[in-house]
Amino acid sequence: RIFTAPHVPERFTRCSFSTFTIDFSGAEYRRQLGEAHDTVQAWVELAIARKPACLALIGSQGNGKSHLLWSAVDSLSKARVRCYARSWYRLADELRYGGPTPWLPATKEAWELRQLLLDAPAVAIDEVCATAGTTFDESELGKIAKNAWDNSQPLIITTNVHPLSNLMGDSAA
């Protein structure tokens, strides 16, 4: 443990909580993509071991963020680790509207979905706010990030929004 004072919340005393942020949107793309792959593999290993880890893959369109995220989800599946995985577009609509809608006929109620997110051993969210985010998006993403932190839940997201505080507020980022 880093801190030993009894009044310090446990989430601040864990030295095993790892946060990796990658921004591979520059001239050194190949080198950064290799580093991103290694970082995603480290995240997968932490998630398989049920250790807390947050990973944000940040960069412009078309440089492989989604491929890395979905390969991480596939690796978790092969290791028999349950992961709640969705694109942000679908997840945001499900959280906002819940229940069946004309464009999302088989969704769960919003409260059921929130419970799935809370209970999942790992969470993966693709294309977070690829278009302009709303106050609702910021609020929901903040809740998801804070839940992951508070409950040592592995979380991986992809986004083209930098810095992360523009997505989910300063405290969650």
Side-chain angles (χ1 to χ4, degrees):
R1 294 186 181 244
I2 298 171
F3 302 104
T4 57
H7 63 281
V8 176
E10 197 228 339
R11 71 177 185 266
F12 295 112
T13 64
R14 292 187 305 253
C15 58
S16 62
F17 195 94
S18 301
T19 302
F20 305 106
T21 302
I22 302 166
D23 183 359
F24 50 102
S25 58
E28 300 178 328
Y29 171 70
R30 287 189 193 275
R31 182 186 63 76
Q32 290 179 344
L33 188 57
E35 288 177 13
H37 181 272
D38 294 345
T39 303
V40 169
Q41 185 58 40
W43 181 87
V44 167
E45 290 168 11
L46 288 169
I48 289 171
R50 311 270 197 217
K51 295 190 177 188
C54 289
L55 175 60
L57 299 172
I58 304 167
S60 57
Q61 281 184 312
N63 56 13
K65 300 178 304 294
S66 294
H67 282 86
L68 288 169
L69 178 133
W70 291 107
S71 68
V73 170
D74 184 54
S75 294
L76 292 178
S77 174
K78 288 176 181 171
R80 300 193 185 278
V81 174
R82 194 168 51 88
C83 179
Y84 183 88
R86 281 274 198 281
S87 69
W88 177 249
Y89 298 109
R90 175 90 186 242
L91 178 58
D93 280 349
E94 290 172 338
L95 288 169
R96 185 177 287 118
Y97 304 113
T101 64
W103 58 94
L104 297 170
T107 60
K108 297 185 174 296
E109 293 296 330
W111 67 269
E112 291 176 293
L113 183 58
R114 284 185 175 86
Q115 195 59 48
L116 281 173
L117 281 165
L118 290 173
D119 295 342
V123 175
I125 306 173
D126 192 24
E127 299 295 337
V128 173
C129 294
T131 58
T134 64
T135 305
F136 174 84
D137 294 334
E138 182 179 321
S139 171
E140 290 300 321
L141 284 165
K143 290 175 193 173
I144 291 167
K146 287 179 181 183
N147 178 68
W149 173 257
D150 289 345
N151 297 307
S152 303
Q153 182 185 49
L155 170 68
I156 183 171
I157 67 168
T158 67
T159 184
N160 56 17
V161 178
H162 189 64
L164 285 177
S165 59
N166 291 348
L167 282 178
M168 58 185 75
D170 290 331
S171 64

